[in-house]
Amino acid sequence: MKWLRISNLELDWELTFDNIYLYGGFDFWGFSDALCSPAQPDYMTISCQHEYFSVEEERFLKEETNLFCKSAHGMGDGTYGIFHRTKDKYPFDILYLDRGRFFKTNFTLESYFQAMIDSMAVCGWQYFYLDFDEIKNKCADFKVGYWLLYPYTEGLAPSPLGRGVTKETSRLDAVVHHMEVCVYLLPKIFPNKDFTYHKQRLADFKAFLKS
């Protein structure tokens, strides 16, 4: 019950460090609030009415899900924690929505919070916890999303890791690049935090993609 009662919780951070721009944060309306509220204004925006959604995917998102947490700096990057409403199962399954693609997760509400804290709510932190096959299948032939492209299009500091991201970059390549940036930069920004899991997860993902 203590997790269900949490609501109206917000964090927003951004910085340029070692000539890299990175940001994070979240806006958590509350799991129980989302259950009770009939209004889902964000689902009427481009983040859900996306050209790459099939009719069935858009129907599913609008009719069978509710968002409970919006991610990252400025709260406008189109990534959400959402849950699948169903009368046959509770607690509900938690999904990750990233502008035109949504992913299954193994999160409970508690583990979603813990993973977000462990990742310092950095933008795109959910990719460190998703199934490798699903990331590859849903992102390989899909163009980069706004939050992945933003640091490279707004005159912000370029990444020193040697790979630029453009509108023609596949989301898969951009996600791998972003994970590399996170693994490189987060330990420098938060030296007292342990990011061993994230480092290993990136190494395992890159090995998976080469296999």
Side-chain angles (χ1 to χ4, degrees):
M1 289 298 294
K2 68 179 181 180
W3 293 99
L4 292 175
R5 291 192 183 110
I6 297 174
S7 63
N8 299 320
L9 188 63
E10 184 174 320
L11 172 72
D12 192 352
W13 64 267
E14 64 173 331
L15 82 167
T16 300
F17 191 91
D18 275 3
N19 206 38
I20 311 172
Y21 176 77
L22 193 64
Y23 63 87
F26 61 87
D27 190 356
F28 181 72
W29 293 288
F31 199 79
S32 56
D33 290 345
L35 278 171
C36 299
S37 174
Q40 292 287 298
D42 284 82
Y43 277 19
M44 303 305 292
T45 68
I46 189 63
S47 56
C48 285
Q49 292 181 338
H50 194 284
E51 61 180 314
Y52 292 104
F53 274 139
S54 68
V55 173
E56 172 55 26
E57 286 172 332
E58 191 164 334
R59 183 210 62 78
F60 169 75
L61 287 167
K62 289 183 177 180
E63 296 180 7
E64 298 187 35
T65 71
N66 284 71
L67 61 92
F68 68 91
C69 188
K70 195 171 185 179
S71 300
H73 168 67
M75 311 311 164
D77 67 351
T79 66
Y80 303 88
I82 62 178
F83 60 83
H84 180 200
R85 301 189 312 271
T86 172
K87 65 181 180 181
D88 299 321
K89 182 179 181 181
Y90 187 85
F92 298 134
D93 289 333
I94 291 177
L95 309 176
Y96 172 54
L97 172 62
D98 180 9
R99 273 186 106 82
R101 287 291 183 266
F102 60 91
F103 303 84
K104 297 176 182 178
T105 80
N106 292 320
F107 289 129
T108 62
L109 188 60
E110 294 91 337
S111 67
Y112 186 93
F113 274 115
Q114 189 59 59
M116 184 168 65
I117 292 168
D118 291 342
S119 305
M120 301 306 289
V122 68
C123 54
W125 64 264
Q126 293 90 339
Y127 280 104
F128 285 97
Y129 298 85
L130 300 178
D131 178 77
F132 291 160
D133 271 313
E134 190 167 26
I135 298 174
K136 180 180 178 180
N137 292 336
K138 291 192 174 181
C139 293
D141 297 321
F142 193 66
K143 296 305 179 185
V144 61
Y146 173 76
W147 69 268
L148 285 162
L149 188 62
Y150 175 73
Y152 308 99
T153 59
E154 299 298 321
L156 301 171
S159 165
L161 299 180
R163 184 164 67 234
V165 178
T166 72
K167 292 180 180 179
E168 299 306 313
T169 303
S170 75
R171 184 171 294 188
L172 178 60
D173 287 343
V175 164
V176 173
H177 178 58
H178 178 70
M179 292 171 74
E180 290 173 340
V181 170
C182 290
V183 165
Y184 171 78
L185 198 58
L186 287 176
K188 296 178 180 293
I189 304 171
F190 307 104
N192 295 325
K193 290 283 291 184
D194 182 7
F195 296 101
T196 302
Y197 167 84
H198 300 78
K199 293 178 181 179
Q200 187 60 54
R201 190 68 174 167
L202 171 60
D204 292 345
F205 187 36
K206 292 171 76 171
F208 165 81
L209 293 174
K210 290 180 180 179
S211 63

